[in-house]
């Protein structure tokens, strides 16, 4: 098992300011001495995610997530600890030398690294094909017809997959990738009767490429790494128009927004996201200067994608095709977007147009105008569906609108939608309100989570006393130094939180003041996830002005209480043993050991007067 030296962790922590790192993923707003944002680890509408720059730690008061910059990268990027450290080391340009992870962790780490490398190699290979080979002439002509020049193709690393059953697979093998790695990438498939280890088949054919004769769009994560591909058909009339990579270790379709790596700063500035239906529409808009754009990897939004957008914007403009499929996609997107508290508008393209053709034909100003005057989703629905004079159709529409309106949590927006609907339909408000169903859509966790208590942690919360011991020990270096020389564990036994207290007492970094100590981030990295989150919660709480005096008073009183309790228990056992005529040697020894503890703890001085209540 490899290990990263503590001094290296401290160097990496010092070079990666937590506000800068987290701020590169989503916007943080400064409020006093901390930075706030909507939590990326659970759905919420009011920011409860706090980043403390002085402490170089984060904590969410909603779900309890918290820790150092290392923990954030692990949780946000779904990486193991070593991978998170490597990513931060690369970000800071620090060479990383490992000392020794379990075989399973090491295999997962190596596979992820290999798949990222394979996807980068694949993107470069597809891109070279597009620019150079004769067989890609029709792909280049297609792009020219859509107004895409070479510079655009280079900026977005567009590519071409040859019309071959195994060209990519052989290329990947030549680059040193194994059959298992190539298959795990989803870029090739093993034939059903092939050997899964070698790819060999009785007739000596092996695997076949997933993408053949297609224009290739690399799909990148927030960090800009290629994790999958989308391929547009060029010649086959009976083939699917678009084919995406299957879900892999790197890629989950519902967790990715195409173009987000390029547009997130523009999303923040505009506070509005224009949602395009496909890659070409997005690239056309972005290259025309309309850069606050994203595209889902499917026909409608997922809860995860809506949550991602909520970190950047307050409003979403759906810009799907003006056909039945586009209308259904808009309706399916509404629930997760409204559940995130986002305002939703709908942009209607002119008949026969999409964003790409509109921009090419009439210019970006025409596209911007449509976006700017796009109506609220409910106004759009009323205008589209309420014109039918047929009574049955109007009843169907009323029930449909009721299903939409029940999703609105903002009371002003809900009232406006109800008023417009009943006015347009000419029905009584009371009749319409009876149609409103009980809300059935609710947010779900973005990732599987362990059962948690009121603190948001997946372990038994310490008692109030243990919490205070941890709190005060955490902030008093002088107390920690003295306690290291004391047999304090004999007073606590197996109480919940004793293990964490032991870690805090052993902590050698400065947590007395508000100055950042890179060693503290390295210390947090030694804790398990629940302990790390609990410590960041403690750090966010108010401390007394004279923490050392308060800590010593609390500890001395606690020691006296615990010793008195142990003595009472032992004396009771001695009385019972005398009554029954049992030997007393071991009980007398216990009593002596307890009294010795009292003598050991006498070096903790009692201040001359009690401090004011700091809380």
């Amino acid at each position: 098992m490899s290990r990263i030296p503590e001094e290296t962790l401290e160097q990496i922590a010092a070079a990666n300011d937590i506000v800068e790192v987290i701020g590169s993923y989503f916007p943080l707003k400064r409020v006093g001495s901390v930075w706030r944002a909507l939590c990326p680890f659970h759905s919420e509408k009011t920011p409860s995610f706090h980043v403390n720059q002085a402490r170089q730690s984060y904590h969410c008061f909603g779900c309890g997530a918290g820790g150092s910059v290392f923990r954030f990268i692990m949780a946000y990027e779904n990486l193991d600890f070593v991978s998170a450290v490597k990513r931060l080391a690369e970000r800071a340009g620090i060479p990383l030398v490992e000392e020794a992870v379990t075989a399973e962790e090491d295999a997962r780490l190596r596979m992820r690294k290999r798949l990222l490398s394979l996807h980068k190699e694949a993107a470069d290979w597809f891109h070279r094909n597009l620019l150079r080979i004769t067989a890609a002439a029709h792909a280049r002509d297609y792009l020219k017809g859509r107004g895409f020049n070479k510079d655009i193709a280079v900026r977005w690393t567009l590519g071409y997959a040859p019309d071959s059953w195994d060209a990519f697979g052989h290329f990947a093998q030549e680059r040193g990738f194994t059959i298992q790695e190539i298959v795990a990438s989803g870029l090739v498939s093993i034939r059903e009767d092939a050997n899964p280890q070698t790819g060999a088949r009785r007739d000596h054919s092996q695997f076949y490429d997933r993408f053949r004769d297609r224009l290739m769009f690399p799909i990148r994560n927030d960090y800009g790494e290629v994790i999958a591909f989308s391929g547009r058909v060029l010649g086959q009339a009976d083939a699917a128009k678009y084919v995406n990579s299957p879900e892999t270790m790197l890629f989950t379709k519902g967790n990715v927004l195409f173009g987000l790596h390029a547009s997130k700063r523009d999303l923040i500035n505009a506070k509005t996201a224009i949602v395009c239906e496909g890659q070409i529409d997005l690239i056309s808009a972005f290259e025309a200067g309309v850069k606050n754009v994203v595209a889902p990897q499917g026909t409608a939004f997922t809860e995860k994608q809506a949550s991602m957008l909520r970190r950047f914007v307050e409003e979403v403009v759906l810009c799907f095709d003006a056909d039945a499929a586009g209308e259904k996609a808009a309706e399916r997107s509404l629930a997760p977007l409204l559940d995130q508290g986002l305002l939703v508008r709908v942009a209607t393209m002119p008949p026969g147009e999409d964003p790409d053709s509109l921009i090419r034909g009439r210019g970006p100003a025409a596209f911007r105008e449509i976006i700017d005057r796009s109506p609220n989703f409910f106004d759009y629905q009323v205008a589209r569906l309420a014109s039918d004079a047929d009574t049955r159709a109007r009843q169907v529409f009323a029930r449909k609108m009721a299903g939409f309106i029940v999703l609105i949590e903002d009371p002003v927006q809900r009232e406006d939608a109800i008023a417009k609907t009943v006015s347009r339909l000419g029905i009584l408000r009371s009749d319409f309100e009876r149609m409103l169903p009980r809300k059935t859509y609710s947010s779900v966790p973005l990732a599987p989570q362990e059962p948690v208590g009121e603190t948001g942690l997946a372990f038994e919360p310490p008692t109030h006393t243990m919490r205070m011991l941890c709190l005060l020990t955490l902030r008093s270096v002088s107390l920690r130094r003295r306690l290291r020389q004391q047999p304090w564990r004999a007073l606590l036994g197996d109480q919940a939180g004793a293990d964490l207290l032991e870690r805090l007492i052993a902590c050698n970094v400065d947590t007395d003041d508000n100055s950042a100590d890179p060693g503290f981030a390295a210390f947090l990295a030694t804790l398990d996830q629940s302990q790390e989150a609990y410590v960041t919660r403690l750090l966010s709480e108010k401390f007394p002005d004279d923490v050392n005096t308060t800590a010593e008073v609390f500890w001395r009183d606690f020691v006296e209480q615990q010793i008195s309790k142990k003595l009472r228990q032992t004396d009771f056992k001695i009385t019972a043993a005398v009554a029954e005529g049992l030997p007393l040697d071991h009980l007398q020894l216990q009593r002596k050991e307890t009294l010795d503890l009292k003598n050991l703890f006498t070096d903790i001085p009692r201040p001359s007067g009690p401090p004011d209540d700091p809380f």
Side-chain angles (χ1 to χ4, degrees):
M1 175 172 177
S2 64
R3 177 181 169 275
I4 300 171
E6 186 174 345
E7 57 271 21
T8 303
L9 292 178
E10 292 182 10
Q11 184 184 10
I12 294 169
N16 286 278
D17 180 79
I18 194 167
V19 170
E20 293 180 3
V21 172
I22 296 180
S24 69
Y25 288 93
F26 50 85
L28 296 172
K29 181 179 180 180
R30 185 158 199 162
V31 181
S33 62
V34 300
W35 300 76
R36 293 182 184 175
L38 291 166
C39 181
F41 305 121
H42 81 288
S43 297
E44 63 177 4
K45 299 179 180 64
T46 302
S48 58
F49 183 84
H50 290 205
V51 183
N52 189 317
Q53 193 165 27
R55 289 289 171 203
Q56 289 294 295
S57 63
Y58 71 92
H59 187 83
C60 175
F61 292 88
C63 67
S68 66
V69 68
F70 301 110
R71 177 65 62 184
F72 175 80
I73 295 296
M74 291 171 65
Y76 194 87
E77 294 284 356
N78 192 27
L79 300 177
D80 55 52
F81 176 70
V82 174
S83 298
V85 172
K86 287 182 175 179
R87 173 156 292 180
L88 290 170
E90 291 172 2
R91 182 181 185 274
I94 297 174
L96 189 63
V97 179
E98 296 178 54
E99 293 180 351
V101 291
T102 64
E104 182 180 350
E105 290 173 336
D106 186 59
R108 183 181 181 278
L109 172 65
R110 290 177 181 275
M111 177 59 82
R112 189 180 190 282
K113 185 176 180 180
R114 291 289 288 170
L115 292 183
L116 284 171
S117 177
L118 175 54
H119 277 79
K120 184 181 184 304
E121 294 266 13
D124 291 342
W125 185 72
F126 291 136
H127 186 57
R128 288 195 299 271
N129 289 342
L130 177 67
L131 298 182
R132 299 177 185 177
I133 68 174
T134 303
H138 62 313
R140 293 190 289 269
D141 290 341
Y142 175 82
L143 288 175
K144 291 175 185 176
R146 303 299 293 256
F148 287 17
N149 57 29
K150 181 180 177 181
D151 290 341
I152 294 175
V154 170
R155 278 194 292 272
W156 292 87
T157 326
L158 304 184
Y160 173 70
D163 189 9
S164 167
W165 282 98
D166 54 11
F168 173 75
H170 284 303
F171 161 78
Q173 283 186 296
E174 290 170 0
R175 300 296 292 180
F177 295 97
T178 66
I179 292 293
Q180 297 97 311
E181 291 168 344
I182 302 170
V183 173
S185 74
L187 297 175
V188 305
S189 298
I190 287 286
R191 296 185 183 277
E192 292 182 2
D193 55 350
N195 185 309
Q197 301 300 317
T198 66
R201 205 169 66 136
R202 286 189 296 274
D203 61 2
H204 305 296
S205 61
Q206 303 176 347
F207 41 73
Y208 59 92
D209 294 350
R210 181 176 184 84
F211 300 101
R212 301 181 301 279
D213 191 28
R214 288 181 179 268
L215 180 64
M216 300 297 289
F217 298 87
I219 299 171
R220 300 176 186 271
N221 59 20
D222 293 6
Y223 204 68
E225 297 167 322
V226 180
I227 57 173
F229 291 90
S230 181
R232 191 195 190 284
V233 70
L234 290 170
Q236 304 171 15
D238 58 342
K241 186 176 180 180
Y242 281 94
V243 169
N244 292 329
S245 291
E247 297 199 349
T248 66
M249 176 187 290
L250 302 179
F251 175 62
T252 300
K253 183 174 68 172
N255 293 353
V256 179
L257 289 170
F258 181 81
L260 182 60
H261 72 285
S263 66
K264 56 186 175 182
R265 181 50 54 187
D266 297 283
L267 294 174
I268 295 169
N269 294 337
K271 297 183 180 179
T272 299
I274 301 169
V275 179
C276 299
E277 192 164 343
Q279 290 90 354
I280 288 180
D281 287 338
L282 181 141
I283 295 173
S284 291
F286 191 93
E287 293 294 331
V290 185
K291 297 187 175 183
N292 55 319
V293 286
V294 292
Q297 294 302 132
T299 57
F301 264 83
T302 66
E303 174 76 9
K304 172 68 173 179
Q305 290 167 330
S307 177
M308 290 169 65
L309 267 190
R310 184 63 184 86
R311 291 179 232 137
F312 300 95
V313 302
E314 300 170 358
E315 181 181 61
V316 171
V317 180
L318 300 176
C319 196
F320 296 152
D321 289 347
D323 55 17
E327 291 169 357
K328 289 181 179 179
E331 292 176 2
R332 288 198 301 271
S333 298
L334 185 65
L337 293 173
L338 287 180
D339 199 60
Q340 290 296 320
L342 290 160
L343 298 175
V344 182
R345 294 192 286 135
V346 179
T348 304
M349 295 291 105
E353 299 274 21
D354 56 27
D356 171 55
S357 64
L358 182 68
I359 291 170
R360 283 187 290 112
R362 305 187 195 181
F367 179 63
R368 286 183 184 276
E369 182 182 355
I370 288 177
I371 296 299
D372 291 343
R373 58 182 173 83
S374 57
N376 174 280
F377 179 87
F378 296 96
D379 293 341
Y380 164 78
Q381 287 288 357
V382 168
R384 186 173 70 89
L385 298 175
S387 58
D388 197 322
D390 180 78
T391 301
R392 180 171 178 78
R394 291 169 69 241
Q395 288 177 342
V396 171
F397 166 68
R399 295 191 181 281
K400 190 169 190 177
M401 287 300 295
F404 293 142
I405 290 172
V406 75
L407 300 173
I408 307 174
E409 294 192 1
D410 181 81
V412 176
Q413 189 180 2
R414 187 190 308 117
E415 172 63 29
D416 183 61
I418 291 174
K420 288 178 179 178
T421 301
V422 298
S423 174
R424 188 64 180 268
L425 288 173
I427 61 177
L428 293 175
R429 181 189 179 98
S430 58
D431 291 339
F432 180 73
E433 287 182 338
R434 281 195 291 270
M435 296 182 184
L436 294 175
R438 297 179 65 182
K439 182 177 177 181
T440 57
Y441 183 90
S442 60
S443 59
V444 296
L446 304 186
Q449 298 182 9
E450 295 176 301
V452 297
E454 62 179 5
T455 60
L457 303 176
F459 71 105
E460 181 184 357
T463 62
H464 173 71
T465 296
M466 181 61 70
R467 172 184 164 279
M468 287 299 299
L469 295 178
C470 290
L471 178 73
L472 296 167
T473 303
L474 175 65
R475 291 301 299 268
S476 177
V477 174
S478 60
L479 181 64
R480 291 204 302 270
R481 289 171 182 158
R482 289 199 294 277
L483 287 176
R484 289 186 197 123
Q485 310 303 319
Q486 303 282 3
W488 60 272
R489 252 204 175 278
L491 298 176
L492 300 180
D494 296 326
Q495 290 187 40
D499 290 339
L500 175 59
L501 182 61
E502 183 174 9
R503 296 284 193 93
L504 294 174
I505 291 173
C507 176
N508 287 315
V509 297
D510 183 12
T511 58
D512 265 347
D513 53 35
N514 287 321
S515 60
D517 185 341
F520 186 64
F523 162 71
L524 288 178
T526 67
L527 305 178
D528 64 37
Q529 185 173 356
S530 297
Q531 291 175 333
E532 188 174 1
Y534 193 77
V535 169
T536 58
R537 174 64 178 266
L538 292 178
L539 282 172
S540 68
E541 298 185 9
K542 182 180 178 182
F543 289 93
D545 294 331
D546 188 352
V547 67
N548 289 329
T549 300
T550 304
E552 289 167 356
V553 170
F554 190 90
W555 263 97
R556 187 181 186 92
D557 290 344
F558 170 73
V559 167
E560 291 177 355
Q561 292 170 10
Q562 290 295 102
I563 290 176
S564 296
K565 178 180 177 181
K566 283 181 174 291
L567 286 175
R568 288 196 303 272
Q569 292 173 341
T570 304
D571 288 346
F572 177 81
K573 292 178 181 178
I574 290 175
T575 301
V578 170
E580 297 182 18
L582 299 175
L584 304 177
D585 291 351
H586 70 291
L587 294 173
Q588 290 172 339
L589 179 60
Q590 280 184 16
R591 196 176 198 285
K592 180 179 183 304
E593 290 174 345
T594 301
L595 289 171
D596 288 343
L597 287 177
K598 186 173 185 178
N599 295 330
L600 285 170
F601 278 97
T602 55
D603 73 330
I604 299 180
R606 180 186 294 277
S608 56
D612 295 333
D613 182 8
F615 302 100

